[in-house]
Amino acid sequence: MEVNSELAIQLINVNRSYGSSKVIENLNLNIKKGTINALVGASGCGKTTLLKIILGRLVPDSGEVRVFGMEPYSSVLTVPGSLVGYAPQENALYTDITIEETLQFFATLHNMSKEHFQERKQQMIKLLDLPPMNRIVGSLSGGQKRRVSLAIALLHSPKLCILDEPTVGLDPLLRTLVINHLKDISATGVTVIITTHYIEEARVADKVFLMRNGKILENGEPEYLIQKYDAPTLEDVFLQICRADESKTLDLIISKSNYTQPTNYNNNSNNNNNNLPPYVSQEENSDLSSIILDSNNNLNINNENSLNNTYNDIMNIDEHNPLLMEEKPYIKSDKSPFHVVTKTKHILAIGKRKLIQILRNKIVLFFELFSPTFQIVLYFLFIGGTPKQVGFGVVNQDLGIGPPVNLYLGADLIANLQSSGLFQFHYYNSTAEAIAQVKLGVTWGVIEIPENFSMAWPERLNDPTDSSAEAESNVQLYMDFTNFQITQFVQQELQTAFEQLGSKFNISMNPVEVEPAIFGSATAKFLWFLAPGFVGLITFAHSIGITAVSFVREKIDGSLDRLFAYNVSTGSIIMGHFLGHIALLCVQAGILLLISILGFGIPIRGDVGLVLLMVILNGFVGMSLGLLISGISKIETEAIQLSLACYFPTLIMSGTLWPLQGIPIQFRWIPNLLPATHAAAVLRDLMLKGVSFTYPEVYQGFLIVLAWFIGLFFLSTFALKEREKNFNFKKLFLKKNN
Ligand SMILES: Nc1ncnc2c1ncn2[C@@H]1O[C@H](COP(=O)(O)OP(=O)(O)OP(=O)(O)O)[C@@H](O)[C@H]1O
């Protein structure tokens, strides 16, 4: 493609579809440097799509695009980047930061110096009549937000201004100021492209491009077009062209344009409305006695009260205005390899903005800090605890042995059981009566101690082959076996109680010595098994939760497009989001471990630093999974559903709630695929076994979780892709089959 140095933008035979629906068709476009250009056309004709192609956000299916002679994004950090000032159709603002923070954020992205930022900020305040800088953007009115959005686009004095419907929501006075500002900057060599529904507004442009169904039907200077088509207004020109193109959407365009053409516009009548700007609606006319169109189509304010506010006053436009005359670029160039300095600045700016947003939004802050704490307390309180005060019946028929020995072993056995805290005993005289209470659900079971127990038990200990002693010392257990956990605990406590009874006679009932333990302790609680998995899982789930919707809104409202237009890479955006959350993730992990250790006595026998590292790494995996979800979701509910779809299987399959050995053998490979399984195993090893990093399961687990993090990070970068290609599966399929 031959590059013309006079042109800011060249498009040749550009085509672009969304799926199989063609939106831009064989489009050719040349835009001269230092001119104002208006893209005019009905809603849905492809104006925004065309702008996104120029910005490099959308990759054309075919054809060539050059911006200042270069293909957008052909090399890193070149075009358009800070050369462009882009205001998307939507306001694309971060609602929970102030106007000052918003402008500062974009100034950092553009590498603007402090002085330059302050200077431009003051000009934007005056030009756009911005509200006080400390106002939170979310609290602004629609028109105020629009002005902030325009301020962002113009702040860094870009060489190319791409403004998608810049005047929507602005009052007539401001509209005038903005249009005149655009005329002035174009006089200094800045190229301006605006889209508009208000066809007559395009009259201020040097060149108008009339678009319909993805094609440019006509283009030229407004006056030339009006003469060529012998039409009174541009709107009439457009109507004629559309009719010729077998317009079907004509009515739609007119109804969209709520603005009426004064009948005598451009006539030499003496009527007061004579010089009204044609895109001003009838309702607004009353406020506009002060606005006139001069012979050069400049909009001016002709009311003494407004004089102090005139555009020239505000912007101090004359040959002495250093800003408009300045030739040297405002943006400091970055000569570092791979533009590391700029990328680092981008990451820091996004991270700072994210952190401000989190800290300012109390609900999010609460969610990030207190909700995990609350959850871990709930988990520890309600799951995995040792049962206490389980209702149990006792029928103690033991008569004991009279003096001088005075043994009441039945009562001793009950006392041993009682000391465990597991039982809350109900005493009954008969077994039938006790069983009836089990059947009524009052108790879980009955322990029946036979009447000769005190006599027969020592004999049985002395001679295990004595069958009559065995029969007379058998303690009978009647149980409701529907609760497996309680059954296990009761049987375990009975065994312990009998061991204690045996030790009274210096006889060990259980010849197996369980201590010293290789790892852990024989008195370990079930909660200790659960706790490491819970800590990991909560960090993982919360990290998904806080990031899963991060980009969805930004995608919908165009804020991401604006960042991409300014050459902020997806990698920088994702790293910035990480950065914003890291501090809170670390605090969160610390709180969870403190509660585990101090609040619930969960042991940490290994290196606390490694435990913390794994919890944080696990949080990173959750964050990158959340960002991936955010990247592929079109709306928030989709992101929330996907997050839940990831969380629950992880909770169930990661071995957090139940040992992996309990899973049917043919399905055991599934948990091994999940990072949460390895994180839980590593945390258990470190906390309960007290092993070091060199323990195979630990370092392997670290490597697997790290690999997951890196893999998901890259996938999320891909999902958020800065340049959207048209994936047409139908075409792909047909190509393959041909
Ligand atoms: N992401 C997308 N996926 C599918 N179709 C899309 C997408 N974005 C836009 N379109 C479709 O492409 C066509 C052109 O859209 P575009 O936003 O470029 O129009 P426009 O001229 O800017 O409209 P408006 O003036 O209302 O903003 C429309 O039919 C629109 O529905």
Side-chain angles (χ1 to χ4, degrees):
M1 176 177 183
E2 200 181 315
V3 174
N4 183 338
S5 60
E6 284 193 2
L7 297 179
I9 289 159
Q10 286 173 277
L11 264 73
I12 296 182
N13 274 335
V14 168
N15 287 281
R16 169 73 203 200
S17 308
Y18 283 112
S20 55
S21 111
K22 198 144 210 173
V23 179
I24 298 289
E25 207 176 334
N26 284 335
L27 192 136
N28 293 292
L29 180 76
N30 283 334
I31 287 183
K32 247 178 108 179
K33 284 180 186 168
T35 55
I36 299 187
N37 302 270
L39 292 178
V40 175
S43 177
C45 72
K47 301 182 293 290
T48 304
T49 307
L50 178 57
L51 295 188
K52 285 186 179 175
I53 288 173
I54 294 170
L55 288 164
R57 174 75 173 116
L58 293 179
V59 183
D61 301 335
S62 62
E64 291 191 71
V65 182
R66 294 289 181 274
V67 177
F68 295 118
M70 296 172 82
E71 197 184 336
Y73 288 106
S74 55
S75 63
V76 199
L77 293 177
T78 49
V79 171
S82 290
L83 289 173
V84 79
Y86 174 49
Q89 201 171 65
E90 307 79 11
N91 287 324
L93 299 169
Y94 307 106
T95 48
D96 27 23
I97 58 176
T98 62
I99 303 175
E100 171 83 31
E101 286 159 352
T102 303
L103 295 182
Q104 179 69 66
F105 170 67
F106 283 97
T108 313
L109 292 188
H110 295 303
N111 213 1
M112 287 171 80
S113 68
K114 263 187 193 151
E115 303 74 45
H116 180 217
F117 168 61
Q118 288 304 334
E119 192 178 6
R120 286 297 290 168
K121 186 180 82 180
Q122 290 310 325
Q123 287 191 331
M124 289 301 114
I125 291 172
K126 285 182 188 166
L127 171 72
L128 295 162
D129 189 21
L130 293 179
M133 288 284 107
N134 60 358
R135 285 279 304 274
I136 299 283
V137 170
S139 70
L140 302 178
S141 72
Q144 288 171 324
K145 283 182 185 155
R146 193 82 197 135
R147 283 181 261 157
V148 175
S149 177
L150 282 174
I152 294 169
L154 301 173
L155 181 72
H156 56 293
S157 315
K159 288 279 166 224
L160 170 65
C161 283
I162 296 188
L163 312 174
D164 206 347
E165 307 202 8
T167 53
V168 169
L170 296 189
D171 62 50
L173 178 64
L174 266 171
R175 224 182 281 165
T176 310
L177 294 173
V178 169
I179 293 287
N180 278 352
H181 179 66
L182 295 180
K183 291 191 97 172
D184 281 319
I185 58 174
S186 82
T188 68
V190 173
T191 311
V192 179
I193 305 177
I194 57 168
T195 69
T196 179
H197 282 131
Y198 311 143
I199 298 173
E200 286 304 321
E201 187 174 75
R203 214 156 155 175
V204 294
D206 297 304
K207 205 165 178 185
V208 180
F209 296 84
L210 299 175
M211 275 190 83
R212 191 161 177 268
N213 295 337
K215 291 183 209 154
I216 292 176
L217 297 182
E218 180 60 283
N219 71 85
E221 290 172 24
E223 292 310 318
Y224 161 77
L225 291 178
I226 286 171
Q227 277 175 21
K228 180 177 169 185
Y229 287 87
D230 194 21
T233 65
L234 256 189
E235 198 164 283
D236 287 298
V237 172
F238 188 62
L239 296 185
Q240 281 187 40
I241 293 169
C242 284
R243 274 191 201 111
D245 195 53
E246 297 173 345
S247 166
K248 289 182 196 128
T249 50
L250 190 62
D251 293 339
L252 207 135
I253 301 155
I254 297 167
S255 65
K256 246 300 195 196
S257 169
N258 184 23
Y259 291 83
T260 54
Q261 165 69 32
T263 46
N264 50 2
Y265 173 69
N266 259 1
N267 289 348
N268 284 334
S269 126
N270 289 330
N271 188 311
N272 261 352
N273 280 342
N274 199 356
N275 288 324
L276 268 176
Y279 50 83
V280 173
S281 70
Q282 294 288 20
E283 305 94 80
E284 289 160 350
N285 283 356
S286 56
D287 306 330
L288 283 177
S289 58
S290 56
I291 301 178
I292 59 160
L293 202 68
D294 69 17
S295 52
N296 295 324
N297 260 354
N298 271 324
L299 297 164
N300 284 318
I301 296 140
N302 193 23
N303 178 329
E304 277 203 51
N305 293 336
S306 307
L307 262 182
N308 292 339
N309 263 350
T310 58
Y311 173 73
N312 284 353
D313 283 348
I314 288 169
M315 292 303 288
N316 193 19
I317 302 266
D318 58 33
E319 61 273 24
H320 306 300
N321 184 332
L323 254 169
L324 286 177
M325 298 305 134
E326 198 172 50
E327 277 300 313
K328 63 177 175 0
Y330 301 121
I331 312 299
K332 286 183 251 161
S333 62
D334 175 13
K335 294 193 174 69
S336 60
F338 308 110
H339 303 274
V340 177
V341 173
T342 305
K343 285 188 173 180
T344 311
K345 281 190 176 170
H346 288 177
I347 295 168
L348 291 176
I350 295 169
K352 184 178 163 192
R353 192 204 75 213
K354 199 73 218 163
L355 191 62
I356 294 174
Q357 286 177 296
I358 295 167
L359 295 179
R360 191 153 291 142
N361 190 327
K362 297 291 175 283
I363 295 175
V364 174
L365 189 63
F366 177 83
F367 182 75
E368 292 220 4
L369 277 185
F370 297 107
S371 169
T373 311
F374 184 59
Q375 276 196 23
I376 198 97
V377 171
L378 286 186
Y379 269 127
F380 287 174
L381 282 180
F382 292 93
I383 301 178
T386 308
K388 298 271 178 231
Q389 300 200 334
V390 175
F392 228 84
V394 173
V395 182
N396 187 1
Q397 296 164 341
D398 182 27
L399 299 172
I401 301 172
V405 191
N406 230 8
L407 276 180
Y408 287 95
L409 291 183
D412 287 348
L413 183 68
I414 298 298
N416 289 346
L417 288 170
Q418 189 96 51
S419 67
S420 71
L422 174 66
F423 301 100
Q424 185 176 36
F425 285 127
H426 301 251
Y427 295 92
Y428 301 100
N429 292 324
S430 79
T431 306
E433 188 190 349
I435 288 175
Q437 294 302 302
V438 178
K439 287 183 178 168
L440 285 174
V442 176
T443 52
W444 278 95
V446 179
I447 297 170
E448 183 200 61
I449 301 171
E451 59 183 21
N452 270 344
F453 184 70
S454 290
M455 297 272 275
W457 179 247
E459 287 168 16
R460 184 175 173 178
L461 285 180
N462 279 331
D463 181 7
T465 60
D466 184 342
S467 56
S468 75
E470 186 186 333
E472 287 189 48
S473 64
N474 266 349
V475 168
Q476 189 68 44
L477 186 67
Y478 302 92
M479 271 214 66
D480 169 354
F481 284 111
T482 54
N483 189 320
F484 179 74
Q485 300 292 340
I486 289 183
T487 308
Q488 295 290 307
F489 277 106
V490 167
Q491 288 180 347
Q492 189 185 323
E493 287 309 328
L494 265 174
Q495 191 183 340
T496 312
F498 270 109
E499 278 172 20
Q500 285 168 349
L501 211 58
S503 66
K504 203 168 180 168
F505 301 95
N506 286 331
I507 293 175
S508 169
M509 277 291 295
N510 188 354
V512 181
E513 290 285 343
V514 290
E515 298 281 357
I518 297 172
F519 287 125
S521 145
T523 55
K525 298 173 182 166
F526 183 53
L527 182 62
W528 295 3
F529 165 82
L530 293 175
F534 279 157
V535 172
L537 200 74
I538 288 175
T539 333
F540 176 73
H542 265 263
S543 300
I544 298 179
I546 54 179
T547 47
V549 288
S550 300
F551 298 132
V552 184
R553 184 100 317 260
E554 291 184 24
K555 270 196 292 190
I556 295 171
D557 71 12
S559 339
L560 262 186
D561 276 338
R562 176 133 50 185
L563 291 191
F564 290 141
Y566 293 158
N567 254 338
V568 182
S569 68
T570 44
S572 303
I573 294 174
I574 288 181
M575 280 199 215
H577 272 256
F578 263 96
L579 198 65
H581 287 290
I582 278 175
L584 283 163
L585 180 66
C586 294
V587 175
Q588 199 183 75
I591 293 176
L592 290 182
L593 289 179
L594 277 179
I595 291 176
S596 308
I597 303 166
L598 303 179
F600 292 87
I602 315 288
I604 296 194
R605 300 192 172 109
D607 186 340
V608 181
L610 276 180
V611 173
L612 195 64
L613 191 66
M614 178 43 91
V615 176
I616 291 171
L617 190 59
N618 201 33
F620 280 10
V621 176
M623 268 161 68
S624 34
L625 179 60
L627 293 174
L628 174 62
I629 289 173
S630 197
I632 57 178
S633 305
K634 289 198 176 71
I635 48 172
E636 274 104 339
T637 37
E638 210 173 291
I640 292 165
Q641 278 165 358
L642 273 174
S643 308
L644 291 177
C646 291
Y647 171 66
F648 282 109
T650 306
L651 170 71
I652 293 162
M653 295 195 293
S654 60
T656 300
L657 296 177
W658 202 252
L660 294 172
Q661 291 77 359
I663 300 172
I665 291 166
Q666 61 270 36
F667 296 120
R668 284 208 194 148
W669 57 273
I670 300 175
N672 274 326
L673 298 176
L674 305 175
T677 309
H678 297 280
V682 169
L683 287 173
R684 246 176 237 133
D685 288 340
L686 293 171
M687 291 167 77
L688 304 182
K689 291 187 180 179
V691 291
S692 68
F693 186 74
T694 50
Y695 189 70
E697 196 174 43
V698 173
Y699 72 79
Q700 283 166 10
F702 262 101
L703 286 178
I704 292 170
V705 177
L706 188 68
W708 264 99
F709 164 52
I710 294 170
L712 285 169
F713 183 90
F714 280 109
L715 273 180
S716 56
T717 319
F718 179 72
L720 205 64
K721 58 196 173 292
E722 45 204 55
R723 304 197 69 205
E724 259 180 36
K725 287 196 178 128
N726 174 22
F727 284 109
N728 189 337
F729 288 105
K730 209 165 135 193
K731 255 192 202 167
L732 211 73
F733 181 73
L734 286 175
K735 246 189 214 168
K736 273 195 177 165
N737 283 325
N738 285 338

